[in-house]
C-alpha cells in the first residue's frame, strides 16, 4: 500500500512525458500540413483569378484581373446574383458547411465536431469562395483558406486515426499555414491560432502550429512572392505622446464601428431568415444588392486588395473614401448575411482603414498611417483578437517600428468591443446556434492548486481491526459518506471501503467476523499526496471511478485527508472569491 501512495503523485509527469512525444509526432506531421496549406492558398488564389476572368471578361485564364476593368455594362447587376445562385446550389446539394465566414465554422468543428472536417469541405469551400469572390462578392480569401487549410490538417489526422486533440492541432496548423500562404504573415497566423482557434496554449499544439506556419512561409516565395503584401512609405513622429493618445482615440472609434457592423450583420441575417423562400436562394438575392453596389462604384466588388493599398498609400480623395466605406459596408453586410461563402478580414480592413483614413485627415502624419491603425483596430474589435490584429497590420505593411502605436489602437478597440458587445462577430454566429463560447484564457485552478489546499483534513476512518459485521451495521445506521478509508493502528491506509462493499458482503454472508484489514490488505487503492495537483486527482477519479481519494503522507502512507468530488468544487469557489471579493491592502491596515 505504501508503494501505491508514493507512486500516485507521479501520474501527471508521466502524462506530460507522453505529450512530449505527441508534440514531436505532430510537428513532423505539420511539415506536410504546412505544405498543404501553402499549396491550398496558391490554388485558392488561382481559382479566384479564373472565376474573375470567366465572370467579368469571358475568358479562361488564371492571370490576375481587376473587376473594375470590366465593360459588362448593366450586366454588373446580374453577375453577383448568378454567382450567389451557384453557391446556394453547392451548399444545398453539396455541404452546408461552405456557407459563412469560414472561421466560425472552423471554431465549431474544433469545439463541437471533434475537429472532423470532410473531404467535401476541403474541395467545395475554396471552389465556392472563388466563385463568390470572382463573381463580385465583397469578401477576402482569408476565411475560406482557414477553413480549407483546416480541412487539409483534419483529413491528414483522420487518415492516421489520430485523437480529437491531435486532429485539432493539425486542423489549426493547416489553418495557420493557409493564412500565412495568402498574406505572408506567419506571426499573425500563429497568434490567430492561439487567440481564436486553439482554446489552449500547450507545447503539443503551439509547436506544430509554428512549424506549419513556418513551412508555408518558406514555400510562399516560390508560389506567391516575397515582401509585405501592402507596403507604403514610413511615417515618423517627433514625440510619441500625442500620437499615442491619437492612436487610442482612433482605436476607440473604430471599436464602436466594429460593434455597429456586428449588430447590423446579424440584423440582416435575421431579415433573410424571414424570407418566404429556401435559404438556397438567399445568396442570389444578396447578390442583387452587391450588383447594385457595383453599379454605384465597381471598387466595392471582389476582395478589394487594391483598395487597401490605395488607403495605405493615401492616394484616395475624401469623397471616394466616404463612398467606398458606405457602399462596401452595405454590400458586405447584405452578402454575408445572405449566407454566401466568403471571409471577413479583407472587408474589415477596408472599412476600418477607411474610418482611420478619414480621422487621419485631422491628425498628425499621413492619412495612410491612420488607415493602418484603423485596420488593426477593427480586426481587434470585431474578432476579439488584439495581438493577432496588431501583428497582422505590422506584417502586412512591414512597419514593425509602428507596432507600439498599432497595439494601442488595437487595445482601445478591444476594450470598447468587450464593453458594448457580448460576443465577437465570429462567436456570435456560433451562439445563435445555441453554443456559447467564452474567449478568455485563465489558468485552470485544478492545475495549480494542490490536494492539501482543498482536501478534508483529519477525515473519518474505520479501523482495520473492525469486523465485516460491524462495518455492515455501521453503513446501515450511522454512516454519513459513501466510502471511508480503512487504517491500521498507526493510521496507515489499508484500503477504502464503500457502502456497495457492505451490501455485497451482506448478500454473500459467511465472513462476518473477518477483520477489514485482512480483506483489504492486498487491494490496490488509488491515493494522492498533499502536494499532488488536484487536476491529477480529478484524472484519477475519472480513470478509477472512485469519487473519494485518500490523501496520504508519501513514504508512511498515513492518511492525512480525503478529497471528494465536492472538494474539487472548492477550487472554483476559491477562483470566484479571488475575482469578486475586495479587501483593503496591508498598507491601509
Amino acid at each position: 500500500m505504501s508503494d501505491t501512495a508514493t507512486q500516485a503523485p507521479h501520474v501527471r509527469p508521466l502524462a506530460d512525458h507522453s505529450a512530449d512525444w505527441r508534440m514531436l509526432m505532430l510537428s513532423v506531421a505539420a511539415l506536410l500540413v504546412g505544405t498543404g496549406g501553402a499549396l491550398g492558398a496558391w490554388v485558392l488564389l488561382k481559382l479566384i483569378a479564373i472565376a474573375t476572368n470567366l465572370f467579368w471578361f469571358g475568358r479562361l485564364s488564371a492571370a490576375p484581373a481587376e473587376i473594375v476593368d470590366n465593360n459588362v455594362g448593366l450586366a454588373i447587376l446580374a453577375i453577383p446574383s448568378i454567382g450567389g445562385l451557384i453557391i446556394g446550389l453547392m451548399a444545398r446539394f453539396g455541404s452546408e458547411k461552405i456557407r459563412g465566414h469560414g472561421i466560425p465554422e472552423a471554431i465549431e468543428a474544433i469545439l463541437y465536431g471533434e475537429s472532423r472536417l470532410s473531404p467535401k469541405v476541403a474541395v467545395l469551400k475554396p471552389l465556392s469562395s472563388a466563385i463568390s469572390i470572382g463573381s463580385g462578392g465583397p469578401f477576402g480569401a482569408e476565411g475560406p483558406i482557414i477553413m480549407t487549410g483546416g480541412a487539409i490538417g483534419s483529413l491528414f489526422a483522420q487518415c492516421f486515426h489520430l485523437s480529437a486533440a491531435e486532429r485539432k492541432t493539425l486542423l489549426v496548423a493547416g489553418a495557420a499555414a493557409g493564412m500565412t500562404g495568402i498574406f505572408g504573415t506567419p506571426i499573425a497566423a500563429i497568434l490567430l491560432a492561439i487567440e481564436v482557434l486553439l482554446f489552449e496554449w500547450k507545447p503539443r499544439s503551439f509547436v506544430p502550429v509554428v512549424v506549419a506556419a513556418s513551412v508555408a512561409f518558406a514555400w510562399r516565395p516560390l508560389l506567391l512572392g516575397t515582401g509585405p503584401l501592402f507596403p507604403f512609405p514610413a511615417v515618423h513622429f517627433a514625440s510619441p505622446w500625442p500620437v499615442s493618445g491619437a492612436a487610442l482615440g482612433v482605436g476607440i472609434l473604430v471599436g464602436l464601428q466594429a460593434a455597429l457592423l456586428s449588430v447590423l450583420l446579424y440584423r440582416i441575417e435575421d431579415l433573410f431568415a424571414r424570407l418566404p423562400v429556401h435559404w438556397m436562394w438567399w445568396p442570389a438575392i444578396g447578390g442583387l444588392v452587391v450588383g447594385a453596389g457595383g453599379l454605384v462604384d465597381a471598387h466595392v466588388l471582389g476582395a478589394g486588395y487594391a483598395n487597401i493599398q490605395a488607403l495605405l498609400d493615401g492616394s484616395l480623395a475624401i469623397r471616394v473614401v466616404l463612398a467606398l466605406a458606405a457602399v462596401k459596408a452595405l454590400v458586405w453586410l447584405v452578402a454575408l448575411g445572405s449566407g454566401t461563402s466568403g471571409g471577413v478580414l479583407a472587408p474589415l480592413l477596408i472599412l476600418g482603414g477607411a474610418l482611420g483614413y478619414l480621422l487621419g485627415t485631422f491628425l498628425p502624419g499621413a492619412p495612410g498611417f491612420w488607415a493602418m491603425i484603423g485596420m488593426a483596430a477593427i480586426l481587434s474589435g470585431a474578432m476579439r483578437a488584439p495581438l493577432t490584429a496588431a501583428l497582422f497590420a505590422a506584417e502586412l505593411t512591414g512597419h514593425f517600428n509602428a507596432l507600439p502605436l498599432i497595439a494601442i489602437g488595437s487595445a482601445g478597440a478591444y476594450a470598447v468591443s468587450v464593453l458594448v458587445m457580448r460576443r465577437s462577430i465570429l462567436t456570435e454566429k456560433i451562439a445563435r446556434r445555441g453554443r456559447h463560447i467564452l474567449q478568455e484564457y485563465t489558468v485552470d485552478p485544478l492545475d495549480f492548486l494542490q490536494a492539501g489546499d482543498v482536501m478534508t483534513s483529519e477525515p473519518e476512518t474505520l479501523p482495520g481491526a473492525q469486523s465485516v459485521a460491524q462495518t455492515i451495521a455501521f453503513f446501515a445506521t450511522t454512516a454519513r459518506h459513501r466510502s471511508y478509508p480503512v487504517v491500521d493502528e498507526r493510521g496507515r491506509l489499508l484500503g477504502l471501503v464503500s457502502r456497495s462493499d457492505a451490501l455485497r458482503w451482506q448478500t454473500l454472508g459467511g465472513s462476518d467476523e473477518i477483520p477489514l484489514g485482512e480483506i483489504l490488505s492486498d487491494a490496490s487503492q488509488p491515493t494522492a499526496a498533499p502536494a499532488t495537483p488536484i487536476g491529477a486527482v480529478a484524472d484519477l477519479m475519472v480513470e478509477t471511478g472512485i469519487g473519494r481519494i485518500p490523501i496520504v503522507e508519501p513514504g508512511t502512507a498515513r492518511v492525512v485527508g480525503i478529497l471528494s468530488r465536492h472538494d474539487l468544487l472548492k477550487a472554483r469557489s476559491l477562483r470566484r472569491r479571488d475575482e469578486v471579493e475586495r479587501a483593503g491592502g496591508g498598507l491601509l491596515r
Side-chain angles (χ1 to χ4, degrees):
M1 184 55 61
S2 61
D3 291 340
T4 303
T6 55
Q7 292 175 8
H10 297 289
V11 172
R12 179 56 61 90
L14 287 174
D16 288 345
H17 183 67
S18 173
D20 293 341
W21 285 107
R22 286 199 294 170
M23 179 190 71
L24 293 176
M25 178 266 292
L26 292 173
S27 297
V28 173
L31 294 171
L32 298 176
V33 172
T35 300
L39 292 173
W42 179 81
V43 169
L44 176 59
L45 292 179
K46 290 299 181 182
L47 288 174
I48 293 173
I50 291 171
T52 303
N53 280 288
L54 280 175
F55 278 109
W56 298 99
F57 304 99
R59 63 197 180 206
L60 184 60
S61 172
E66 291 293 337
I67 295 177
V68 293
D69 297 330
N70 77 84
N71 56 359
V72 298
L74 291 178
I76 198 172
L77 288 168
I79 291 176
S81 186
I82 294 171
L85 178 60
I86 296 172
I87 293 165
L89 291 169
M90 293 174 67
R92 182 170 184 181
F93 300 106
S95 172
E96 282 192 52
K97 292 186 180 297
I98 68 171
R99 304 175 69 213
H101 319 187
I103 301 177
E105 289 72 23
I107 294 173
E108 196 165 18
I110 289 167
L111 294 180
Y112 304 106
E114 295 186 335
S115 301
R116 295 182 187 273
L117 293 175
S118 67
K120 277 186 178 181
V121 173
V123 174
L124 293 180
K125 186 64 179 180
L127 186 58
S128 65
S129 299
I131 292 172
S132 174
I133 298 169
S135 63
F139 305 112
E142 61 290 325
I145 193 55
I146 284 174
M147 193 70 167
T148 302
I152 292 171
S154 175
L155 291 173
F156 182 91
Q158 291 177 60
C159 287
F160 290 93
H161 306 288
L162 302 184
S163 68
E166 292 161 345
R167 282 195 302 272
K168 176 181 71 172
T169 295
L170 292 184
L171 186 158
V172 176
M179 181 176 171
T180 301
I182 292 288
F183 292 108
T185 55
I187 306 302
I190 293 166
L191 287 175
L192 179 76
I194 294 170
E195 290 190 299
V196 177
L197 297 174
L198 279 175
F199 292 89
E200 67 178 19
W201 193 327
K202 295 180 178 179
R204 179 201 66 200
S205 52
F206 176 73
V207 173
V209 167
V210 172
V211 170
S214 301
V215 168
F217 186 68
W219 277 113
R220 195 173 187 277
L222 299 175
L223 299 173
L224 299 169
T226 60
L229 193 59
F230 301 117
F232 71 98
V235 177
H236 301 283
F237 299 99
S239 174
W241 286 105
V243 184
S244 298
L248 179 60
V250 170
I252 290 172
L253 292 176
V254 174
L256 293 173
Q257 179 193 25
L260 177 62
L261 289 171
S262 182
V263 171
L264 291 176
L265 171 61
Y266 291 107
R267 292 283 176 84
I268 292 172
E269 191 174 279
D270 291 338
L271 291 176
F272 272 101
R274 295 173 188 167
L275 292 178
V277 295
H278 192 277
W279 57 258
M280 180 189 75
W281 302 100
W282 297 355
I285 296 171
L288 293 174
V289 178
V290 174
L295 197 60
V296 174
D297 186 349
H299 288 87
V300 305
L301 301 177
Y305 292 151
N307 296 329
I308 297 174
Q309 186 66 65
L311 286 168
L312 294 170
D313 289 338
S315 59
L316 295 178
I318 297 299
R319 61 178 181 81
V320 176
V321 177
L322 286 170
L324 178 64
V327 180
K328 183 75 175 184
L330 176 63
V331 298
W332 174 64
L333 291 171
V334 172
L336 196 58
S338 71
T340 191
S341 180
V344 300
L345 265 67
L348 285 174
L349 289 175
I350 293 173
L351 297 175
L355 181 54
Y357 188 101
L358 294 172
L359 295 171
T361 59
F362 304 98
L363 297 172
F369 173 83
W370 298 105
M372 177 181 66
I373 300 294
M375 291 175 186
I378 199 166
L379 292 184
S380 175
M383 299 175 61
R384 300 278 178 89
L387 296 178
T388 299
L391 264 298
F392 189 60
E395 286 186 294
L396 278 179
T397 60
H399 290 305
F400 289 94
N401 61 324
L403 192 54
L405 296 175
I406 299 173
I408 291 172
S410 296
Y414 179 73
V416 169
S417 173
V418 171
L419 289 173
V420 302
M421 287 199 306
R422 294 181 62 189
R423 304 174 188 88
S424 73
I425 199 171
L426 305 178
T427 56
E428 177 65 28
K429 190 172 186 65
I430 303 172
R432 291 163 74 86
R433 299 170 185 163
R435 292 170 168 172
H436 301 278
I437 298 172
L438 180 67
Q439 282 185 285
E440 292 185 0
Y441 287 87
T442 58
V443 177
D444 188 345
L446 296 185
D447 286 332
F448 72 87
L449 289 176
Q450 298 176 332
D453 297 325
V454 296
M455 71 180 185
T456 300
S457 302
E458 300 182 0
E460 296 181 54
T461 60
L462 298 180
Q466 180 173 292
S467 68
V468 168
Q470 291 173 314
T471 303
I472 293 173
F474 171 75
F475 276 104
T477 56
T478 59
R480 297 187 301 160
H481 305 292
R482 296 182 61 87
S483 61
Y484 289 84
V486 178
V487 299
D488 62 13
E489 63 278 1
R490 296 183 180 179
R492 296 176 300 186
L493 182 68
L494 298 176
L496 200 71
V497 63
S498 65
R499 191 182 302 274
S500 59
D501 292 328
L503 292 174
R504 186 177 70 255
W505 293 333
Q506 186 176 22
T507 301
L508 295 176
S511 58
D512 288 356
E513 300 306 320
I514 299 178
L516 288 177
E518 293 184 17
I519 296 178
L520 300 175
S521 58
D522 295 330
S524 178
Q525 170 60 45
T527 63
T532 303
I534 58 175
V537 181
D539 292 341
L540 201 59
M541 290 180 179
V542 173
E543 293 166 5
T544 62
I546 297 174
R548 285 165 60 84
I549 302 296
I551 309 300
V552 301
E553 286 183 347
T556 66
R558 189 176 68 85
V559 176
V560 295
I562 195 161
L563 201 150
S564 66
R565 295 189 182 100
H566 176 75
D567 292 324
L568 292 178
L569 295 178
K570 293 179 183 177
R572 186 168 182 84
S573 175
L574 290 173
R575 167 54 60 86
R576 180 168 176 78
R577 183 195 65 189
D578 292 342
E579 290 284 346
V580 301
E581 288 188 9
R582 295 176 178 174
L587 291 177
L588 294 179
R589 289 194 295 269

Short mmCIF file of all heavy atoms in Angstrom, two decimals, residues 528-572:
data_model
loop_
_atom_site.label_atom_id
_atom_site.label_comp_id
_atom_site.label_asym_id
_atom_site.label_seq_id
_atom_site.Cartn_x
_atom_site.Cartn_y
_atom_site.Cartn_z
N ALA A 528 -3.29 9.84 -3.31
CA ALA A 528 -2.54 11.02 -3.73
C ALA A 528 -1.85 11.60 -2.51
O ALA A 528 -2.21 11.28 -1.36
CB ALA A 528 -3.46 12.05 -4.37
N ALA A 529 -0.87 12.44 -2.74
CA ALA A 529 -0.16 13.13 -1.66
C ALA A 529 -0.69 14.55 -1.53
O ALA A 529 -1.32 15.08 -2.45
CB ALA A 529 1.34 13.14 -1.95
N PRO A 530 -0.45 15.21 -0.41
CA PRO A 530 -0.91 16.59 -0.25
C PRO A 530 -0.38 17.53 -1.33
O PRO A 530 -1.04 18.52 -1.67
CB PRO A 530 -0.38 16.99 1.14
CG PRO A 530 -0.27 15.69 1.88
CD PRO A 530 0.14 14.69 0.86
N ALA A 531 0.79 17.23 -1.89
CA ALA A 531 1.37 18.11 -2.91
C ALA A 531 0.91 17.77 -4.32
O ALA A 531 1.31 18.44 -5.28
CB ALA A 531 2.90 18.05 -2.85
N THR A 532 0.08 16.74 -4.47
CA THR A 532 -0.39 16.36 -5.80
C THR A 532 -1.34 17.43 -6.35
O THR A 532 -2.26 17.84 -5.65
CB THR A 532 -1.13 15.01 -5.75
OG1 THR A 532 -0.26 14.02 -5.19
CG2 THR A 532 -1.56 14.58 -7.15
N PRO A 533 -1.14 17.89 -7.60
CA PRO A 533 -2.11 18.83 -8.19
C PRO A 533 -3.49 18.20 -8.23
O PRO A 533 -3.64 17.02 -8.55
CB PRO A 533 -1.56 19.06 -9.60
CG PRO A 533 -0.12 18.71 -9.52
CD PRO A 533 -0.01 17.61 -8.50
N ILE A 534 -4.51 18.99 -7.91
CA ILE A 534 -5.84 18.40 -7.84
C ILE A 534 -6.35 18.02 -9.23
O ILE A 534 -7.27 17.21 -9.35
CB ILE A 534 -6.85 19.34 -7.14
CG1 ILE A 534 -6.94 20.69 -7.86
CG2 ILE A 534 -6.48 19.52 -5.68
CD1 ILE A 534 -8.01 21.58 -7.25
N GLY A 535 -5.72 18.56 -10.27
CA GLY A 535 -6.06 18.10 -11.60
C GLY A 535 -5.70 16.63 -11.78
O GLY A 535 -6.43 15.87 -12.41
N ALA A 536 -4.54 16.21 -11.23
CA ALA A 536 -4.13 14.81 -11.29
C ALA A 536 -5.09 13.94 -10.49
O ALA A 536 -5.40 12.81 -10.88
CB ALA A 536 -2.70 14.66 -10.77
N VAL A 537 -5.58 14.47 -9.37
CA VAL A 537 -6.55 13.72 -8.56
C VAL A 537 -7.86 13.58 -9.32
O VAL A 537 -8.50 12.51 -9.32
CB VAL A 537 -6.77 14.40 -7.21
CG1 VAL A 537 -7.75 13.60 -6.36
CG2 VAL A 537 -5.46 14.58 -6.46
N ALA A 538 -8.29 14.63 -9.99
CA ALA A 538 -9.51 14.56 -10.78
C ALA A 538 -9.38 13.52 -11.89
O ALA A 538 -10.30 12.75 -12.17
CB ALA A 538 -9.84 15.94 -11.37
N ASP A 539 -8.20 13.48 -12.56
CA ASP A 539 -7.97 12.47 -13.58
C ASP A 539 -8.04 11.07 -12.98
O ASP A 539 -8.56 10.13 -13.60
CB ASP A 539 -6.60 12.69 -14.23
CG ASP A 539 -6.53 13.97 -15.05
OD1 ASP A 539 -7.60 14.50 -15.41
OD2 ASP A 539 -5.41 14.45 -15.30
N LEU A 540 -7.50 10.93 -11.76
CA LEU A 540 -7.53 9.64 -11.07
C LEU A 540 -8.97 9.20 -10.80
O LEU A 540 -9.32 8.02 -10.95
CB LEU A 540 -6.73 9.75 -9.77
CG LEU A 540 -6.21 8.46 -9.13
CD1 LEU A 540 -5.30 7.72 -10.09
CD2 LEU A 540 -5.47 8.79 -7.85
N MET A 541 -9.82 10.15 -10.41
CA MET A 541 -11.22 9.83 -10.18
C MET A 541 -11.90 9.34 -11.46
O MET A 541 -12.69 8.39 -11.45
CB MET A 541 -11.96 11.06 -9.65
CG MET A 541 -11.59 11.47 -8.24
SD MET A 541 -12.54 12.94 -7.73
CE MET A 541 -11.93 13.18 -6.06
N VAL A 542 -11.58 10.00 -12.57
CA VAL A 542 -12.18 9.61 -13.84
C VAL A 542 -11.71 8.21 -14.25
O VAL A 542 -12.49 7.38 -14.71
CB VAL A 542 -11.82 10.64 -14.93
CG1 VAL A 542 -12.28 10.16 -16.30
CG2 VAL A 542 -12.45 11.99 -14.61
N GLU A 543 -10.42 7.95 -14.09
CA GLU A 543 -9.86 6.67 -14.53
C GLU A 543 -10.35 5.50 -13.69
O GLU A 543 -10.56 4.41 -14.21
CB GLU A 543 -8.33 6.75 -14.48
CG GLU A 543 -7.74 7.72 -15.50
CD GLU A 543 -6.28 8.03 -15.21
OE1 GLU A 543 -5.72 7.40 -14.28
OE2 GLU A 543 -5.71 8.89 -15.91
N THR A 544 -10.50 5.72 -12.39
CA THR A 544 -10.85 4.62 -11.49
C THR A 544 -12.34 4.54 -11.16
O THR A 544 -12.81 3.50 -10.70
CB THR A 544 -10.07 4.75 -10.17
OG1 THR A 544 -10.44 5.97 -9.51
CG2 THR A 544 -8.57 4.77 -10.43
N GLY A 545 -13.06 5.63 -11.37
CA GLY A 545 -14.47 5.66 -10.99
C GLY A 545 -14.69 5.83 -9.50
O GLY A 545 -15.81 5.70 -9.01
N ILE A 546 -13.63 6.13 -8.75
CA ILE A 546 -13.72 6.32 -7.29
C ILE A 546 -13.87 7.81 -7.00
O ILE A 546 -13.04 8.61 -7.44
CB ILE A 546 -12.48 5.74 -6.58
CG1 ILE A 546 -12.41 4.23 -6.82
CG2 ILE A 546 -12.52 6.05 -5.09
CD1 ILE A 546 -11.13 3.59 -6.28
N GLY A 547 -14.89 8.18 -6.28
CA GLY A 547 -15.19 9.58 -6.05
C GLY A 547 -14.56 10.17 -4.80
O GLY A 547 -14.69 11.38 -4.56
N ARG A 548 -13.88 9.36 -3.98
CA ARG A 548 -13.21 9.86 -2.77
C ARG A 548 -11.80 9.26 -2.74
O ARG A 548 -11.64 8.05 -2.62
CB ARG A 548 -13.99 9.47 -1.52
CG ARG A 548 -15.25 10.31 -1.32
CD ARG A 548 -16.21 9.67 -0.29
NE ARG A 548 -15.62 9.51 1.03
CZ ARG A 548 -15.57 10.46 1.97
NH1 ARG A 548 -16.06 11.66 1.71
NH2 ARG A 548 -15.05 10.21 3.15
N ILE A 549 -10.80 10.12 -2.87
CA ILE A 549 -9.41 9.67 -2.95
C ILE A 549 -8.71 9.99 -1.62
O ILE A 549 -8.65 11.16 -1.22
CB ILE A 549 -8.66 10.35 -4.10
CG1 ILE A 549 -9.37 10.07 -5.43
CG2 ILE A 549 -7.21 9.89 -4.16
CD1 ILE A 549 -9.38 8.62 -5.84
N PRO A 550 -8.18 8.99 -0.91
CA PRO A 550 -7.43 9.26 0.32
C PRO A 550 -6.15 10.04 0.02
O PRO A 550 -5.45 9.75 -0.96
CB PRO A 550 -7.11 7.87 0.86
CG PRO A 550 -8.10 6.96 0.20
CD PRO A 550 -8.35 7.54 -1.16
N ILE A 551 -5.85 11.01 0.86
CA ILE A 551 -4.61 11.78 0.75
C ILE A 551 -3.68 11.28 1.84
O ILE A 551 -4.01 11.35 3.03
CB ILE A 551 -4.87 13.28 0.90
CG1 ILE A 551 -5.99 13.73 -0.05
CG2 ILE A 551 -3.59 14.06 0.65
CD1 ILE A 551 -5.72 13.47 -1.51
N VAL A 552 -2.51 10.79 1.47
CA VAL A 552 -1.61 10.15 2.42
C VAL A 552 -0.24 10.81 2.38
O VAL A 552 0.14 11.43 1.38
CB VAL A 552 -1.46 8.64 2.11
CG1 VAL A 552 -2.81 7.94 2.18
CG2 VAL A 552 -0.82 8.42 0.75
N GLU A 553 0.49 10.68 3.47
CA GLU A 553 1.87 11.16 3.52
C GLU A 553 2.75 10.24 2.68
O GLU A 553 2.69 9.01 2.84
CB GLU A 553 2.39 11.18 4.96
CG GLU A 553 1.83 12.30 5.81
CD GLU A 553 2.45 12.30 7.19
OE1 GLU A 553 3.10 11.29 7.55
OE2 GLU A 553 2.29 13.29 7.93
N PRO A 554 3.55 10.79 1.78
CA PRO A 554 4.45 9.93 1.00
C PRO A 554 5.40 9.16 1.92
O PRO A 554 5.93 9.70 2.88
CB PRO A 554 5.23 10.93 0.12
CG PRO A 554 4.35 12.14 0.05
CD PRO A 554 3.65 12.21 1.39
N GLY A 555 5.59 7.91 1.61
CA GLY A 555 6.51 7.09 2.39
C GLY A 555 5.83 6.37 3.53
O GLY A 555 5.94 5.15 3.65
N THR A 556 5.10 7.09 4.40
CA THR A 556 4.47 6.44 5.56
C THR A 556 3.09 5.91 5.24
O THR A 556 2.60 5.03 5.95
CB THR A 556 4.36 7.44 6.72
OG1 THR A 556 3.44 8.48 6.37
CG2 THR A 556 5.72 8.04 7.05
N ALA A 557 2.43 6.43 4.21
CA ALA A 557 1.07 6.04 3.84
C ALA A 557 0.06 6.38 4.92
O ALA A 557 -1.04 5.83 4.95
CB ALA A 557 1.00 4.55 3.50
N ARG A 558 0.40 7.31 5.84
CA ARG A 558 -0.55 7.71 6.88
C ARG A 558 -1.58 8.65 6.28
O ARG A 558 -1.25 9.60 5.56
CB ARG A 558 0.20 8.39 8.03
CG ARG A 558 -0.68 8.64 9.26
CD ARG A 558 0.15 9.22 10.39
NE ARG A 558 0.60 10.56 10.08
CZ ARG A 558 -0.15 11.67 10.30
NH1 ARG A 558 -1.37 11.55 10.81
NH2 ARG A 558 0.33 12.85 10.01
N VAL A 559 -2.85 8.39 6.56
CA VAL A 559 -3.94 9.19 6.00
C VAL A 559 -4.00 10.55 6.68
O VAL A 559 -4.12 10.64 7.91
CB VAL A 559 -5.29 8.46 6.16
CG1 VAL A 559 -6.44 9.35 5.66
CG2 VAL A 559 -5.28 7.15 5.40
N VAL A 560 -3.90 11.62 5.89
CA VAL A 560 -3.98 12.98 6.43
C VAL A 560 -5.18 13.74 5.91
O VAL A 560 -5.47 14.85 6.36
CB VAL A 560 -2.69 13.77 6.10
CG1 VAL A 560 -1.49 13.16 6.80
CG2 VAL A 560 -2.47 13.84 4.59
N GLY A 561 -5.89 13.16 4.96
CA GLY A 561 -7.07 13.84 4.42
C GLY A 561 -7.76 12.98 3.39
O GLY A 561 -7.31 11.87 3.07
N ILE A 562 -8.85 13.50 2.89
CA ILE A 562 -9.56 12.83 1.81
C ILE A 562 -10.10 13.90 0.88
O ILE A 562 -10.48 14.99 1.30
CB ILE A 562 -10.70 11.93 2.34
CG1 ILE A 562 -11.15 10.96 1.23
CG2 ILE A 562 -11.87 12.74 2.87
CD1 ILE A 562 -11.91 9.77 1.77
N LEU A 563 -10.08 13.61 -0.43
CA LEU A 563 -10.52 14.58 -1.42
C LEU A 563 -11.66 13.96 -2.23
O LEU A 563 -11.50 12.91 -2.86
CB LEU A 563 -9.35 14.95 -2.35
CG LEU A 563 -9.51 16.28 -3.11
CD1 LEU A 563 -8.15 16.90 -3.38
CD2 LEU A 563 -10.24 16.09 -4.42
N SER A 564 -12.82 14.63 -2.15
CA SER A 564 -14.00 14.13 -2.84
C SER A 564 -14.32 15.02 -4.04
O SER A 564 -13.71 16.07 -4.26
CB SER A 564 -15.19 14.13 -1.89
OG SER A 564 -15.53 15.46 -1.52
N ARG A 565 -15.31 14.58 -4.82
CA ARG A 565 -15.75 15.40 -5.95
C ARG A 565 -16.24 16.77 -5.46
O ARG A 565 -16.04 17.78 -6.12
CB ARG A 565 -16.85 14.68 -6.72
CG ARG A 565 -16.41 13.39 -7.40
CD ARG A 565 -17.50 12.86 -8.32
NE ARG A 565 -17.12 11.60 -8.93
CZ ARG A 565 -17.53 10.41 -8.51
NH1 ARG A 565 -18.33 10.33 -7.45
NH2 ARG A 565 -17.15 9.30 -9.13
N HIS A 566 -16.89 16.78 -4.32
CA HIS A 566 -17.37 18.04 -3.77
C HIS A 566 -16.20 18.97 -3.43
O HIS A 566 -16.29 20.19 -3.63
CB HIS A 566 -18.21 17.78 -2.52
CG HIS A 566 -18.67 19.04 -1.85
ND1 HIS A 566 -19.69 19.83 -2.35
CD2 HIS A 566 -18.24 19.66 -0.71
CE1 HIS A 566 -19.86 20.87 -1.57
NE2 HIS A 566 -19.01 20.80 -0.57
N ASP A 567 -15.09 18.39 -2.96
CA ASP A 567 -13.93 19.21 -2.63
C ASP A 567 -13.34 19.88 -3.87
O ASP A 567 -12.77 20.97 -3.79
CB ASP A 567 -12.86 18.36 -1.94
CG ASP A 567 -13.28 17.90 -0.55
OD1 ASP A 567 -13.97 18.67 0.13
OD2 ASP A 567 -12.93 16.77 -0.17
N LEU A 568 -13.47 19.21 -5.02
CA LEU A 568 -12.96 19.80 -6.25
C LEU A 568 -13.67 21.11 -6.57
O LEU A 568 -13.10 22.01 -7.17
CB LEU A 568 -13.12 18.82 -7.42
CG LEU A 568 -12.25 17.56 -7.38
CD1 LEU A 568 -12.56 16.67 -8.57
CD2 LEU A 568 -10.77 17.91 -7.36
N LEU A 569 -14.93 21.21 -6.15
CA LEU A 569 -15.67 22.45 -6.40
C LEU A 569 -15.11 23.61 -5.57
O LEU A 569 -15.36 24.78 -5.90
CB LEU A 569 -17.15 22.26 -6.08
CG LEU A 569 -17.90 21.25 -6.97
CD1 LEU A 569 -19.34 21.12 -6.50
CD2 LEU A 569 -17.85 21.68 -8.43
N LYS A 570 -14.39 23.29 -4.50
CA LYS A 570 -13.78 24.35 -3.71
C LYS A 570 -12.80 25.15 -4.55
O LYS A 570 -12.61 26.35 -4.32
CB LYS A 570 -13.06 23.76 -2.50
CG LYS A 570 -13.96 23.10 -1.46
CD LYS A 570 -13.11 22.54 -0.34
CE LYS A 570 -13.96 21.80 0.69
NZ LYS A 570 -13.12 21.20 1.75
N ALA A 571 -12.16 24.49 -5.50
CA ALA A 571 -11.19 25.19 -6.35
C ALA A 571 -11.88 26.30 -7.14
O ALA A 571 -11.37 27.42 -7.24
CB ALA A 571 -10.52 24.20 -7.30
N ARG A 572 -13.04 25.99 -7.69
CA ARG A 572 -13.78 27.02 -8.42
C ARG A 572 -14.26 28.11 -7.47
O ARG A 572 -14.28 29.29 -7.83
CB ARG A 572 -14.97 26.39 -9.15
CG ARG A 572 -15.69 27.38 -10.05
CD ARG A 572 -16.67 26.69 -10.97
NE ARG A 572 -17.32 27.63 -11.86
CZ ARG A 572 -16.81 28.07 -13.00
NH1 ARG A 572 -15.63 27.64 -13.40
NH2 ARG A 572 -17.46 28.93 -13.76
#
